[in-house]
Every structure is written in C-alpha cells, then in structure tokens.
Amino acid sequence: MPRIDWHDDPSAPPVNSLVPAAAAFVERDGEILLIQRSDNGKWSMPGGTMEFGESLTTCVVRETLEETGIHIECTGLVGVFTDPLHRVEYDNGEVRQQFAIVYRATYLAGEPTRSPESPRVEWVRRANVLDLDMDPSQRVRLAWALQHPGDVRIDPP
Amino acid sequence: MDSRVNGRIEHWNNPDAPAANSLVPASNLLVVNSSGEILLQKRRDTGQWALPGGKQELGETPSQCAVRECEEETGILAEITGFLGVYSDPNHLIEYLSDGEVRQEYEVTYLGRPISGAPAANEEASAVRWIDPTSLDAYDVHPTMRRQIDDYLAGRYPVAD
C-alpha cells in the first residue's frame, strides 16, 4: 500500500481520517528495533492502528510481532505525537492526520523476521538510529525517545 | 454495568452489549484548582458526573481537543499541565441511541489548571462543579471515569493502558 507523506503542504488533499494508532520504542542492549517500511522505503518503529476488541497496548504488541517477529512488553510511555499539518495519503483514498501514542517496550522473545510490510527488520545501535532515512515525524519521535528517557512528551497545545 | 438516561448508554464488561462499530480518538481534561478540587460536569446524556472531554476533531491535536471540550462543557478555560494516561479498554463501549454509533473506548486524558471562567451549566452539562476529592463518593461517577480520577489521586500515572 503506497503512501505519500504531506508536510504542511497547501496542495495536500483534505484530511478525512483520524484513528487510534501506536508505535513501540523497543530497546535491547543499546539497540533499537526498527523496520524499513515497504510502503515508502523509509525506516520507522513498528506500530499500527488499533482494531476492534483490543486495547492500544495489545495493538502495539500485535503490530510489533507482525512486522518484526519480536514479542515485546510495554513498560511505559514515550509520549503523544501528532501534527495536524502532516497528512498521510494512502492509495485507498484515506488521508490520515498524523497521530500516534508511542510506548516504551522491552524485548521478550523472537528473532528479527521480515514481513510484507517490513522487508527489513534490524536492531540498530542507538548512535546510528537518527542517521537512517526516515520521515521527519518519525525522527521527532525517535529523538525524543532516545534523549528523554524519563519524560512523557505531550503534544503541543 | 449500564446506565441509561438520555441517549447514551455505557456498557462495561457487558456480554450483551452491541458490537462496536466506531473507534475514534477522544480527549479528557482533569482540571485541578489551587484548592485541590477537581472540575466535573453532570452529563445531560447519562445523568452521571464526568470529566469534561469529547471526540477529537480533524485538524486539532488531542490536547487542543481536551482544552476545547473543557471550555464548551464547563465554562472554564484551562491549560495543560501534564498527562494522565491512555485509556483503551475494549470492554468499555459507548452506545449512542440517536444514530446507532457504538464506540469502543479510546481516550487520552490530560491534567490541567484553570486560567479563567466560572463553572456554568450548558447544553451538554446540567451542572458543573469544583469537587473536593474527599466528597467524590457522594457523586454518581461511572466506574470507567472514576478509575481515571482515582489514578490521578493515587499518583498512578502516566497510565499506559
């Protein structure tokens, strides 16, 4: 499913979707679990949107397993991340406002395993994370998670 | 446990609840004044006391939503001071009788303090009050909402549900 990220762009299509979504910042021995996305080729934390019948933490544990083969456990919050001027357009016509809760999580079991959504799955050393090619919104989330271990980031009022 | 007054039914751990058909972000604001009192509104749709809050609109952030809903439902303009937590219990469903929406709970709750305004009843709230935590038990508050208030009072936050 190709996606286009529109950042503060007057020619962006109007937003028509706002959904509960979450991502996981999984750290193990100084390395962070990241995927390269099949839909835009960029690197990101694993995550996805909440489905009926699950809580948001259940969602992020499920999505991480699907996208990386890794079982995790949520231990806390990195923060609330959103930018109403960042719209994500999917080829089914959905234009979603960027919004996600990011959790801190620990490794439980499993080996990095690629999926159709994530052709590459890697443990990346902390110092190299921000050097990867990623969307600016992803960089904001990862920078906060790396640099503010004790603080929950609140979206700007 | 259900409570039905006027258009909105809270289903919590109810095996007979209808299936959820809506999953949308909502925000709440727990406002505490300098006396330690908590701002609650008496909802016209359930008759129960609750934190101000509501559905996040396209184009706004969740914290903007919390501040807007608080002002609309209580008359109090507040500012965000912290983050209480994410509440997403799939066994809490909110049924709206007017349009058939059955919403699965997904709420992010912020902490705030009042800047201006005075508690005032309005279209959505039949009463608005600053309530001392020691008298909370005298108010009918749905357990899913009371849980959020109790998390704050016990210092159990941020909640990562």
Side-chain angles (χ1 to χ4, degrees):
Chain A
M1 182 166 67
R3 67 179 253 174
I4 303 170
D5 286 84
W6 300 86
H7 290 276
D8 194 8
D9 186 334
S11 59
V15 66
N16 58 30
S17 165
L18 179 58
V19 296
F25 180 79
V26 189
E27 182 163 12
R28 183 192 190 197
D29 298 334
E31 295 181 325
I32 313 301
L33 180 64
L34 296 176
I35 66 169
Q36 188 176 27
R37 309 179 56 97
S38 60
D39 57 8
N40 64 3
K42 295 182 183 294
W43 289 84
S44 77
M45 288 177 271
T49 58
M50 187 167 145
E51 296 179 353
F52 289 119
E54 67 182 4
S55 69
L56 197 62
T57 52
T58 307
C59 160
V60 77
V61 167
R62 174 184 54 75
E63 290 279 358
T64 300
L65 181 60
E66 289 173 4
E67 293 178 349
T68 71
I70 304 287
H71 295 264
I72 61 163
E73 179 177 50
C74 292
T75 57
L77 281 169
V78 174
V80 182
F81 294 85
T82 186
D83 178 359
L85 296 178
H86 177 193
R87 299 169 185 180
V88 184
E89 180 182 10
Y90 296 94
D91 61 1
N92 62 0
E94 179 181 0
V95 182
R96 190 186 298 171
Q97 177 177 325
Q98 185 235 112
F99 173 37
I101 307 290
V102 180
Y103 290 92
R104 283 184 195 280
T106 55
Y107 170 88
L108 291 180
E111 292 298 324
T113 307
R114 62 189 182 178
S115 76
E117 294 171 277
S118 50
R120 291 178 71 185
V121 179
E122 291 183 14
W123 291 104
V124 180
R125 294 179 59 82
R126 287 180 67 98
N128 300 335
V129 167
L130 297 180
D131 295 335
L132 295 171
D133 179 28
M134 61 182 69
D135 185 81
S137 62
Q138 193 65 216
R139 195 175 299 282
V140 168
R141 298 173 188 184
L142 280 165
W144 185 276
L146 289 164
Q147 294 158 11
H148 299 84
D151 293 337
V152 175
R153 199 266 199 179
I154 301 176
D155 53 295
Chain B
M1 169 187 260
D2 298 348
S3 53
R4 176 193 302 237
V5 171
N6 187 19
R8 173 177 155 134
I9 306 173
E10 306 268 357
H11 299 278
W12 188 44
N13 296 323
N14 174 9
D16 299 322
N21 57 30
S22 164
L23 196 45
V24 296
S27 298
N28 297 323
L29 189 53
L30 192 160
V31 185
V32 183
N33 67 15
S34 55
S35 306
E37 297 166 322
I38 295 170
L39 184 65
L40 294 184
Q41 49 130 347
K42 189 175 186 189
R43 304 183 61 104
R44 290 188 192 274
D45 58 5
T46 66
Q48 291 185 303
W49 292 83
L51 298 173
K55 181 177 164 183
Q56 185 182 346
E57 303 291 344
L58 297 177
E60 70 181 356
T61 67
S63 61
Q64 287 167 349
C65 169
V67 168
R68 175 182 56 74
E69 290 279 356
C70 179
E71 190 170 19
E72 290 174 2
E73 295 178 349
T74 70
I76 300 288
L77 177 63
E79 66 178 356
I80 303 282
T81 58
F83 189 70
L84 181 64
V86 181
Y87 294 88
S88 61
D89 180 353
N91 295 314
H92 180 201
L93 305 177
I94 302 130
E95 180 180 7
Y96 296 89
L97 298 177
S98 59
D99 60 3
E101 179 183 359
V102 182
R103 189 185 298 176
Q104 181 177 320
E105 176 191 76
Y106 173 78
E107 300 172 1
V108 289
T109 302
Y110 294 85
L111 303 174
R113 65 171 164 241
I115 296 174
S116 62
N122 55 70
E123 282 186 3
E124 295 182 69
S126 60
V128 178
R129 277 184 210 160
W130 291 107
I131 296 175
D132 189 287
T134 59
S135 56
L136 261 178
D137 287 346
Y139 291 83
D140 179 19
V141 178
H142 193 269
T144 54
M145 185 58 84
R146 181 62 189 258
R147 178 194 164 192
Q148 300 189 18
I149 298 169
D150 287 345
D151 283 339
Y152 164 71
L153 293 173
R156 285 191 299 264
Y157 60 91
V159 174
D161 200 0

